[in-house]
Amino acid sequence: VIDEIIYTERNYVNRLKIVLDVYINPLTETGILDRDEITGQFGFWEALYNLHNTLYNRMLDERSQNILEIGKIFTDFSYFLKMYTEYLTNFENALERRGYLLTSNRKFAEFVEKARLDNRCNGMNIESYLIEPVQKIPRYRLLLEQLLKYTPSNHKEYSMIVEALNKISEVAIRNNEAIRDRENKNKMMDIMMTFETRTRVNLFDQTNRRFLKEGNLQKQCRRGRKEFKYWLFSDKLLYGELNGL
């Protein structure tokens, strides 16, 4: 399991470096995308590369000295993995923006196709690379669970592996919560924009508000039953006429 952890980390670091060399640096140098667009697409990619390159080299150094403690390494590095949260919460927005750029920016579209054919990419397209950070924390969690499974409870590293697994699990939970929070905000904005300006309600006046459910229901009015669109939130019920919100 330890060999697999080191092997997968090496591959991940290599692919992070490929994105820097084949996509980010050339895009910056050529000016095909401005700095804000590049950050929007790739986030703090260089910081991710530096973090994982440091992590990988520490694994190699400790293994060469026969003092490798995987549990302690992951515990030490878990704090820095919070940088994944922003990347994950922005992932879908970046994907949508990339779709727009690929159909409206000819130079960018041609650049992406040319990059895909670069020998360093091994036939992988840009989407295959950009999805990897999304999958990284869950993979760490699975590998540490597997390592714990095969570590005797009386082994000197057992408690540290347990702590590392707990830390990584906390990161995964925070990431999932951040993603759900972003999806909730996007949904509320979509609902707000459904209404006409004169009847629009600010759904962001309460920071803890959560969207729960929507659907069509009938309401008894003076002239009989009338169908309305309803949106249920954690603290509010909102409805409007289907023919003109």
Side-chain angles (χ1 to χ4, degrees):
V1 178
I2 290 177
D3 286 342
E4 184 178 358
I5 291 173
I6 296 174
Y7 174 76
T8 56
E9 194 65 23
R10 183 194 70 183
N11 289 342
Y12 186 57
V13 169
N14 288 341
R15 287 193 282 269
L16 291 174
K17 184 68 163 56
I18 288 171
V19 172
L20 280 173
D21 293 342
V22 178
Y23 289 97
I24 298 176
N25 292 338
L27 282 170
T28 302
E29 293 165 2
T30 58
I32 292 174
L33 295 182
D34 61 33
R35 184 175 297 275
D36 288 341
E37 286 283 16
I38 292 173
T39 300
Q41 287 300 307
F42 300 97
F44 301 106
W45 198 274
E46 187 172 0
L48 283 178
Y49 168 73
N50 290 333
L51 172 66
H52 287 277
N53 191 45
T54 301
L55 174 62
Y56 174 61
N57 284 320
R58 178 171 165 181
M59 290 179 183
L60 293 184
D61 289 343
E62 291 191 6
R63 186 172 66 173
S64 67
Q65 300 176 51
N66 200 30
I67 57 170
L68 178 60
E69 294 180 327
I70 289 293
K72 187 176 189 311
I73 289 176
F74 275 101
T75 299
D76 291 345
F77 276 83
S78 62
Y79 172 80
F80 301 100
L81 296 177
K82 64 181 182 180
M83 69 174 64
Y84 274 86
T85 301
E86 185 171 345
Y87 184 88
L88 295 177
T89 54
N90 185 58
F91 184 76
E92 287 189 16
N93 291 335
L95 181 64
E96 292 176 4
R97 179 63 180 171
R98 191 156 58 253
Y100 171 77
L101 290 171
L102 287 169
T103 55
S104 64
N105 187 328
R106 182 176 58 82
K107 288 184 177 180
F108 178 66
E110 291 175 350
F111 172 86
V112 168
E113 179 59 22
K114 182 178 178 181
R116 183 182 67 83
L117 300 175
D118 190 299
N119 290 333
R120 290 169 290 182
C121 289
N122 299 313
M124 293 173 61
N125 61 27
I126 188 172
E127 304 305 325
S128 299
Y129 285 104
L130 296 185
I131 194 67
E132 290 217 14
V134 177
Q135 302 167 335
K136 192 58 181 173
I137 302 303
R139 285 178 177 171
Y140 276 155
R141 189 175 184 175
L142 289 174
L143 287 169
L144 287 172
E145 286 174 345
Q146 191 175 10
L147 179 61
L148 185 64
K149 178 181 178 181
Y150 292 107
T151 302
S153 58
N154 60 351
H155 191 280
K156 64 177 183 178
E157 263 208 88
Y158 186 86
S159 60
M160 189 59 71
I161 295 172
V162 170
E163 183 177 354
L165 179 56
N166 289 337
K167 293 284 188 182
I168 296 298
S169 297
E170 289 172 5
V171 172
I173 290 171
R174 283 200 304 272
N175 288 344
N176 290 336
E177 289 175 347
I179 291 171
R180 284 195 295 269
D181 185 59
R182 189 262 304 155
E183 291 174 342
N184 179 69
K185 285 182 169 59
N186 287 349
K187 179 63 177 178
M188 290 200 300
M189 180 57 74
D190 289 342
I191 294 170
M192 280 182 59
M193 298 309 294
T194 300
F195 285 78
E196 296 176 352
T197 305
R198 62 183 177 84
T199 58
R200 187 169 295 151
V201 177
N202 180 15
L203 294 175
F204 294 94
D205 57 344
Q206 295 292 331
T207 57
N208 294 323
R209 179 170 291 138
R210 293 290 180 269
F211 167 75
L212 300 176
K213 187 179 292 187
E214 65 182 323
N216 296 344
L217 292 172
Q218 289 187 341
K219 180 183 177 183
Q220 183 64 47
C221 301
R222 291 182 180 179
R223 298 182 180 180
R225 291 182 176 274
K226 191 172 184 180
E227 191 167 21
F228 287 82
K229 178 79 173 185
Y230 283 80
W231 294 270
L232 178 63
F233 300 89
S234 54
D235 65 337
K236 184 189 291 286
L237 178 64
L238 191 64
Y239 69 93
E241 295 184 43
L242 292 172
N243 61 346
L245 302 173

